[in-house]
Amino acid sequence: MDQIGRATGIQPSEFAKLATIIFISNYIAKNHNHMHSFKSGFLIPLGFIAMMGGLILMEPDFGTAAFIVILSILMCMVGGTRIIFYFFTLLASTPFIYELIFSVTYRKIRFTSFLDPWQDRRGTGLSCNTIVDCNDRLGADRPGTRQ
């Protein structure tokens, strides 16, 4: 944790989330007529998104980087960017994403425990299982509980 995080408990990536949302929103609002084009609607926002994601990965905070990238891409799609641009980008970046997740042991463990939290019920899957257990104790007849 850096100096800001030690003093306040806030990571610099929290400011990056807010800055990214503001930038992408502002960019879409100003360029809404050109969001369908490859350069204005895809390359420029993607460059900013990649820069922010890369900086946060250096922190290292994979979850926040993934959150910012996914949220920004969804915002651009809602703003009018053609989905096919992001489809082919995702297709081309799949090996890179795979390497990011599975090259570091703790990321691999977190990812696999997210996919199957019951594999290690009292270890890495504890938080997911605790939520389900608490939900079950409330009863299925309460609003918002699984049925």
Side-chain angles (χ1 to χ4, degrees):
M1 206 183 282
D2 66 347
Q3 295 298 329
I4 295 171
R6 283 191 205 114
T8 63
I10 298 173
Q11 293 291 325
S13 59
E14 300 301 323
F15 297 112
K17 284 182 201 176
L18 184 60
T20 302
I21 291 169
I22 291 170
F23 175 82
I24 296 293
S25 300
N26 186 39
Y27 185 84
I28 292 169
K30 287 184 177 180
N31 297 294
H32 68 280
N33 292 329
H34 305 288
M35 289 303 290
H36 64 279
S37 74
F38 184 74
K39 181 181 177 190
S40 297
F42 176 70
L43 284 182
I44 294 172
L46 185 66
F48 182 79
I49 294 166
M51 179 191 67
M52 293 304 281
L55 288 172
I56 293 170
L57 279 174
M58 290 171 56
E59 196 170 291
D61 190 351
F62 181 76
T64 299
F67 172 78
I68 285 178
V69 168
I70 292 168
L71 179 66
S72 300
I73 288 172
L74 288 174
M75 288 173 64
C76 288
M77 283 189 218
V78 170
T81 301
R82 295 178 58 194
I83 295 172
I84 196 76
F85 296 153
Y86 288 109
F87 173 76
F88 284 116
T89 302
L90 177 65
L91 196 62
S93 62
T94 300
F96 174 71
I97 295 168
Y98 179 87
E99 182 65 24
L100 267 176
I101 293 172
F102 292 102
S103 65
V104 180
T105 306
Y106 81 91
R107 284 189 205 146
K108 179 181 177 183
I109 292 169
R110 288 185 69 189
F111 184 75
T112 55
S113 73
F114 173 76
L115 295 177
D116 185 13
W118 291 272
Q119 180 182 9
D120 186 9
R121 189 166 175 80
R122 297 291 171 212
T124 57
L126 182 63
S127 59
C128 291
N129 287 304
T130 302
I131 292 168
V132 171
D133 291 344
C134 290
N135 201 19
D136 287 344
R137 287 187 194 120
L138 289 174
D141 57 338
R142 295 180 55 93
T145 59
R146 65 184 183 137
Q147 299 180 10

